[in-house]
């Protein structure tokens, strides 16, 4: 067992950091059962090699293709519908590994083939983790077992401790947490464990159970007992720092998940909101769902955090749906949301555009057209007395010096970015515009549910591109 030096940050520092953190309001796209999720209680989120995001819920599995949620036939064939999904992982062969209420399902996303291993009441599987060659680490009530790729063969792992969680490290190494307040790294070649003592006899939290462990990078690992501190473990220098006291930030909160992102921030999901810690600036902020702001968190009882390969951050809640933070340098704004003109009425952001002064424009489905100023200090919903506030806006782009917007039902609008007034309207087929494209020579193409339309600069109108009807 490796003894380490523990550094505890004081409550005074944490209070100061929380007070000094710059207030930010993140803008989320929120999804629920009405958007195609099997259920509003999210248990797991993963991404396959093709970029599809898979979401596990209490009522089964679904797939997000960047536009909508659906349930592919192979999901139902593998028995992953209408049953609780506890954990999801994608292995190196692009197979989904799911722990359900009655066992493990391994679904090959390339072929649709699947394997099933039934759970045993005598040795129930509690947690799974894919490793190399399609194999699976599993934690049971009596220890650990490595399963073969077809889930039939098994190798019992002798554990010198009682495990509580298993996770794959930044470099593929296996980490386990224990009920005795320690974490262990498993050497797969030597089949030995190296322990790091997190809660020693001098710790304020001696005897606490390590319940969560997540990798940060090749050197650092996050661990927590869910209730008191979040620890950052340097596995090279063998030091452990208590970086956050959970109760000092949100009283009575229970930590559910942890995520490290490449901006230097650490995100923490709790049952009472979201905590974001900026490691570089030592600043902490907490966030709750606000029904008055449709683009705030889907809920405050959070369960899962996941960052996909496109930079999107996904947040799953307990029976409150799913939130997604799109990858954008303008993913938050600062300032007041109190007055009527700055309230965000949009429920789902469909597209972004930047004008010549650096302002960010958003097309919101079932809401409004939003402008965030270049400094991130104000948010304005366009209101010129003509724009339909409940319009369905699907596309937005910079056209010459103006903003051009495609709506589903109202055609194409051109907006002056300075006055926020509509200066031109165009019809395009049935006016159900879903996408806009501006070429280098400023030719405008509009994709509609009727076909593809192109702006004719001579007649200043949109005409159907020959052969595109019915696209």
């Amino acid at each position: 067992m490796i003894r380490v030096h523990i550094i505890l940050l004081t409550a005074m520092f944490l209070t100061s950091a929380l007070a000094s953190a710059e207030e930010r309001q993140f803008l989320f796209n929120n999804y629920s059962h009405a958007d195609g999720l099997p259920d509003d209680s999210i248990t797991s989120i993963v991404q396959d090699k093709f970029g599809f995001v898979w979401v596990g819920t209490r009522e089964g599995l679904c797939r997000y293709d960047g536009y909508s949620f659906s349930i592919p036939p192979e999901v139902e064939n593998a028995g992953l519908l209408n049953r609780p999904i506890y954990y999801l992982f994608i292995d190196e062969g692009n197979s989904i590994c799911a722990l359900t209420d009655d066992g493990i399902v391994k679904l090959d996303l390339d072929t649709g083939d699947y394997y099933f291993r039934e759970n045993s009441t005598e040795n129930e599987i509690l947690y799974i983790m894919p490793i190399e060659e399609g194999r699976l680490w599993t934690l049971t009530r009596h220890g650990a077992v490595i399963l073969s790729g077809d889930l039939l063969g098994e190798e019992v792992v002798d554990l010198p401790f009682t495990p509580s969680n298993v996770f794959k490290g930044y470099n593929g190494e296996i980490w386990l947490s224990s009920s005795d307040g320690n974490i262990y790294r498993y050497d797969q070649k030597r089949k030995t464990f190296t322990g790091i003592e997190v809660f020693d006899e001098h710790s304020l939290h001696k005897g606490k159970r390590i319940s969560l462990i997540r990798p940060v990078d090749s050197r650092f690992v996050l661990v927590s007992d869910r209730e008191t501190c979040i620890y950052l473990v340097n596995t090279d220098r063998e030091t452990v720092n208590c970086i956050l006291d959970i109760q000092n930030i949100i009283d009575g909160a229970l930590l559910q998940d942890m995520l490290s992102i490449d901006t230097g921030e650490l995100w923490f999901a709790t049952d009472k909101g979201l905590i974001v810690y900026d490691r570089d600036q030592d600043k902490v902020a907490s966030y709750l769902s606000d029904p008055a702001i449709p683009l705030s968190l889907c809920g405050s009882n959070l369960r899962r955090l996941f960052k996909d390969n496109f930079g999107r951050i996904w947040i799953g809640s307990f029976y409150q749906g799913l939130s997604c933070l799109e990858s954008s340098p303008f993913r938050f704004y600062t300032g007041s949301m109190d007055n009527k003109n700055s309230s965000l009425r949009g429920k789902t952001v469909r597209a972004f555009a930047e004008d010549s002064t650096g302002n960010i424009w958003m097309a919101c489905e079932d809401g409004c057209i939003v402008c965030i100023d270049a400094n991130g200090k104000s948010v304005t919903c366009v209101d010129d007395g003509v724009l339909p506030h409940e319009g369905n806006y699907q596309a937005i782009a910079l056209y010459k010096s103006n903003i051009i917007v495609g709506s589903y039902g109202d055609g194409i609008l051109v907006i002056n970015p300075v006055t926020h007034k509509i200066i031109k309207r165009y019809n395009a087929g049935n006016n159900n515009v879903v996408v806009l494209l501006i070429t280098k020579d400023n030719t405008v193409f509009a994709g509609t549910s009727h076909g593809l339309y192109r702006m004719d600069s001579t007649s200043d109108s949109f005409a159907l591109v020959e052969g595109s009807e019915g696209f």
Side-chain angles (χ1 to χ4, degrees):
M1 179 69 65
I2 298 174
R3 291 294 304 278
V4 298
H5 178 59
I6 298 179
I7 305 171
L8 296 178
L9 299 182
T10 64
M12 180 180 297
F13 167 79
L14 290 173
T15 303
S16 174
L18 182 60
S20 64
E22 179 185 5
E23 292 186 0
R24 300 179 296 174
Q25 178 61 57
F26 294 99
L27 305 178
F28 295 96
N29 287 336
N30 294 321
Y31 305 98
S32 67
H33 180 68
D35 298 298
L37 292 173
D39 186 65
D40 283 339
S41 188
I42 312 301
T43 58
S44 289
I45 309 165
V46 296
Q47 186 177 31
D48 66 27
K49 70 178 184 181
F50 300 112
F52 294 114
V53 173
W54 296 82
V55 180
T57 76
R58 296 276 177 176
E59 290 294 333
L61 180 66
C62 67
R63 184 182 71 185
Y64 181 71
D65 61 6
Y67 299 96
S68 61
F69 292 90
S70 63
I71 301 172
E74 59 266 29
V75 168
E76 189 168 3
N77 294 339
L80 292 174
L81 188 60
N82 300 321
R83 67 168 8 131
I85 306 293
Y86 298 139
Y87 296 105
L88 279 180
F89 293 97
I90 299 285
D91 71 9
E92 60 186 15
N94 204 43
S95 291
I96 278 188
C97 305
L99 180 61
T100 72
D101 57 340
D102 60 356
I104 301 173
V105 177
K106 184 177 179 181
L107 172 61
D108 189 322
L109 296 178
D110 296 332
T111 66
D113 297 334
Y114 66 92
Y115 301 97
F116 173 71
R117 183 184 177 97
E118 188 175 6
N119 230 337
S120 167
T121 54
E122 295 81 16
N123 200 20
E124 182 184 2
I125 297 171
L126 305 176
Y127 204 82
I128 61 174
M129 174 59 62
I131 56 175
E132 77 285 345
E133 299 176 353
R135 297 182 299 162
L136 275 179
W137 254 86
T138 66
L139 291 188
T140 72
R141 293 195 180 279
H142 302 297
V145 175
I146 298 177
L147 299 179
S148 61
D150 58 6
L151 306 184
L152 296 177
E154 60 180 55
E155 174 190 345
V156 177
V157 181
D158 293 327
L159 298 179
F161 54 89
T162 302
S164 58
N165 202 281
V166 60
F167 212 84
K168 189 182 297 184
Y170 191 82
N171 293 323
E173 70 276 16
I174 298 298
W175 286 91
L176 292 96
S177 59
S178 72
S179 57
D180 60 3
N182 304 314
I183 61 175
Y184 297 84
R185 177 164 45 194
Y186 181 63
D187 188 321
Q188 299 187 59
K189 292 183 178 180
R190 299 179 180 178
K191 297 184 179 181
T192 57
F193 291 90
T194 302
I196 296 180
E197 194 172 30
V198 178
F199 299 151
D200 69 1
E201 64 270 21
H202 303 296
S203 171
L204 296 175
H205 306 119
K206 183 178 184 293
K208 284 287 186 178
R209 172 189 177 96
I210 299 291
S211 300
L212 277 179
I213 177 168
R214 297 288 187 269
V216 175
D217 54 31
S218 59
R219 290 187 302 152
F220 291 96
V221 175
L222 285 170
V223 299
S224 179
D225 64 350
R226 294 186 188 268
E227 298 176 345
T228 55
C229 271
I230 298 168
Y231 291 86
L232 186 65
V233 180
N234 186 322
T235 59
D236 287 345
R237 297 183 179 179
E238 302 168 5
T239 58
V240 180
N241 298 337
C242 175
I243 58 172
L244 292 179
D245 186 326
I246 301 170
Q247 302 308 316
N248 191 61
I249 302 171
I250 304 179
D251 185 40
L254 185 65
L255 185 64
Q256 300 292 337
D257 205 358
M258 305 185 289
L259 176 68
S260 172
I261 60 177
D262 51 16
T263 60
E265 292 178 340
L266 300 176
W267 287 46
F268 305 99
T270 80
D271 61 349
K272 292 188 176 181
L274 174 69
I275 298 172
V276 177
Y277 172 53
D278 188 323
R279 292 173 60 193
D280 296 331
Q281 300 186 31
D282 287 328
K283 292 182 178 180
V284 186
S286 60
Y287 300 89
L288 300 172
S289 176
D290 186 347
I293 306 176
L295 294 181
S296 71
L297 276 170
C298 60
S300 297
N301 193 344
L302 308 177
R303 286 295 187 268
R304 290 292 176 265
L305 295 170
F306 176 73
K307 183 179 179 182
D308 66 23
N309 295 331
F310 302 120
R312 297 174 299 203
I313 298 177
W314 298 84
I315 303 176
S317 73
F318 185 68
Y319 290 110
Q320 295 173 311
L322 178 69
S323 288
C324 177
L325 182 64
E326 296 289 344
S327 57
S328 166
F330 294 89
R331 58 189 173 84
F332 60 84
Y333 64 88
T334 59
S336 173
M337 291 286 292
D338 296 336
N339 62 72
K340 177 182 177 181
N341 199 41
S342 64
S343 64
L344 283 169
R345 290 182 290 255
K347 295 179 181 178
T348 302
V349 177
R350 282 299 183 186
F352 290 88
E354 182 179 6
D355 65 25
S356 57
T357 61
N359 298 327
I360 297 300
W361 292 75
M362 298 185 293
C364 297
E365 179 182 301
D366 300 327
C368 59
I369 300 168
V370 176
C371 177
I372 304 178
D373 74 21
N375 297 317
K377 296 298 183 181
S378 67
V379 180
T380 305
C381 282
V382 174
D383 185 355
D384 68 349
V386 179
L387 187 68
H389 292 303
E390 298 305 321
N392 187 336
Y393 304 106
Q394 295 285 319
I396 195 165
L398 179 65
Y399 173 55
K400 297 181 179 178
S401 60
N402 297 314
I403 295 295
I404 186 169
V405 181
S407 70
Y408 201 85
D410 291 304
I412 298 169
L413 314 174
V414 180
I415 297 174
N416 184 311
V418 177
T419 64
H420 290 192
K421 301 294 184 182
I422 296 175
I423 58 177
K424 187 76 175 181
R425 283 179 179 268
Y426 293 98
N427 291 318
N430 58 7
N431 282 335
N432 292 339
V433 181
V434 294
V435 65
L436 291 169
L437 173 66
I438 316 296
T439 64
K440 290 182 178 180
D441 62 356
N442 278 324
T443 301
V444 181
F445 288 89
T448 76
S449 60
H450 180 261
L452 179 65
Y453 285 78
R454 177 173 52 204
M455 176 184 280
D456 185 327
S457 58
T458 303
S459 63
D460 194 27
S461 63
F462 281 82
L464 182 67
V465 175
E466 185 177 353
S468 72
E469 186 174 358
F471 273 9

